[in-house]
Amino acid sequence: KIKSKSIYEVAESMNPEYVQDRKFRLMFLRCKRYDPKGAAEHLLGFFDTKQWLFGQEKLCKDITLDDLSEEERRLVRTGASQGLARDAGGRMVCTYFRSMVKNMDTMTECRAKYYTLMALAESEESQIKGIIALLYVVGDYYKDKKGGDGLAELGRVAPSLPIHWAGFHFCCNTMLQYVLIRALVLTMPEHLAAKFRCHKGTHIECVYSMRSFGIPPSALPIPDTGANKPPLMYQHTIWYQNREKIDREKDRMLGMKQQHGMWRQQEQTAIANIIPNDDDEFSFGDPLAEELGDPFMDDLGDSFMEEKNDNQMQPLQETQARLQAVPQAAPQAAPQAALLPVVPLVSQSQIHGNALLNMANTIITPRRTDVLFGPKYMYHPGTLHLQELISQQLPVFESILHRTDKTKFVGMLVQHLKASGTRFLAMDKGTNQWIEVDDNVARNKIAKTFRNKRRTTGVGPSFLNQMDAPN
């Protein structure tokens, strides 16, 4: 039970629809593994942190990029916090590069961190499985130092968000950092200490150490040539561009809802003054709905569409009755063709909603099972799985003699991968977006990989003949 006169009541009085939203509440229940009391306390802490960061006027809205300052948006864009990789269990890995926020104000860092983590928490899969936190301070990636108050403020943001932290990994290369972190782990509760792992060594050593915990090398987008190189930002840049499109759509829909709410209040007052007993709230003849295309009705529910005015439906019913009373036409005329079939009405909101859905579907985000084209993505989990599968099927491929049979075999392999949910994606240089290639390109990709495996492993027709030859 939430105490009275709390920040929750303030938020509920401002926007009860936002506070009582089912998906919003489920985030806290999943975070606390469906503990109602813990979820209620976590919800209070979340509103306290949000009010501290953004003020009371933004307490009941999703924070978008427009709510951040230019410096905060630049910090998000630089990729100080990234969540583009998943571990072997399918959990999101959020990597935090501490050095990329040097010379930044603590509040700026906290607000940028809040936005990135909440964007990662929107995924239902991340809410259910949890998120892995990875702090990387190897080499020159830990230069900025803040006082105790600044670190305390930074540590206030992550625990208050509706995120289930499934594990913590700390990468360093100095003995002092390693000893301090190990000492800090000893002071933690048992349930938190069991989730914490510390890795000491060079960049390559930390990568191999984390692979034993199922964390792929793509979680650290740093070139292997040295730990002092800047991180590779190509995937994070794509993520940021997608977030810009999503946030613009959020702000547009929020503006329409607010405009509709203001108009609804004025319209209801005017109707009450003219016709006090009129129960009609929203009719087909509404000029504002025709002007705006009625885009907000899907979000507000179908109750408006169900409340039709009987006076407006009466002319249509009379017309249908007159048509049914018309006698049948002559046999030479088209029988029963005079009466057109009744076509169900499709609202403009449905058309607008389908258009938004199609626009969202055109933005492709790579999954861990997808095969990505290009040498930059050779360590992607889906690409590594394809390499392993081709290594297993290489003897079968080389044992096929005819070229047409090999083509059929590669085509069957492509269909098998696509049936299992694998997509073959390539980066479009013109739009800087991922696109799904056709089957011909996928077959050429697999055939080329088979040829490369033949050269690197030496498994070919001559090798197979030697293996089959009698001793």
Side-chain angles (χ1 to χ4, degrees), residues 267-377:
E267 181 68 12
Q268 288 177 357
T269 304
I271 292 177
N273 294 332
I274 298 174
I275 309 177
N277 296 326
D278 191 2
D279 295 330
D280 181 28
E281 294 187 356
F282 203 88
S283 64
F284 286 108
D286 197 314
L288 183 62
E290 297 174 357
E291 178 182 355
L292 297 180
D294 194 16
F296 36 74
M297 293 186 64
D298 287 337
D299 296 332
L300 299 179
D302 295 331
S303 59
F304 294 130
M305 297 297 295
E306 295 175 357
E307 297 175 6
K308 300 180 178 62
N309 193 334
D310 295 338
N311 296 329
Q312 293 178 339
M313 295 300 296
Q314 184 176 0
L316 178 61
Q317 296 174 358
E318 294 178 355
T319 303
Q320 292 180 350
R322 287 197 299 269
L323 289 175
Q324 293 176 0
V326 174
Q328 297 294 330
Q332 60 272 14
Q336 303 296 333
L339 294 178
L340 296 178
V342 178
V343 180
L345 296 177
V346 180
S347 65
Q348 295 181 358
S349 61
Q350 293 173 333
I351 299 176
H352 183 77
N354 293 335
L356 294 180
L357 182 61
N358 294 333
M359 183 187 69
N361 291 336
T362 57
I363 303 176
I364 299 179
T365 302
R367 299 191 294 258
R368 63 189 306 270
T369 58
D370 295 337
V371 176
L372 307 184
F373 285 25
K376 296 181 180 179
Y377 316 103

Side-chain angles (χ1 to χ4, degrees), residues 100-116:
M100 301 182 68
V101 295
K102 56 185 177 182
N103 301 326
M104 289 283 183
D105 180 68
T106 303
M107 184 60 68
T108 299
E109 185 179 353
C110 290
R111 287 160 65 98
K113 189 176 182 181
Y114 172 93
Y115 173 81
T116 304

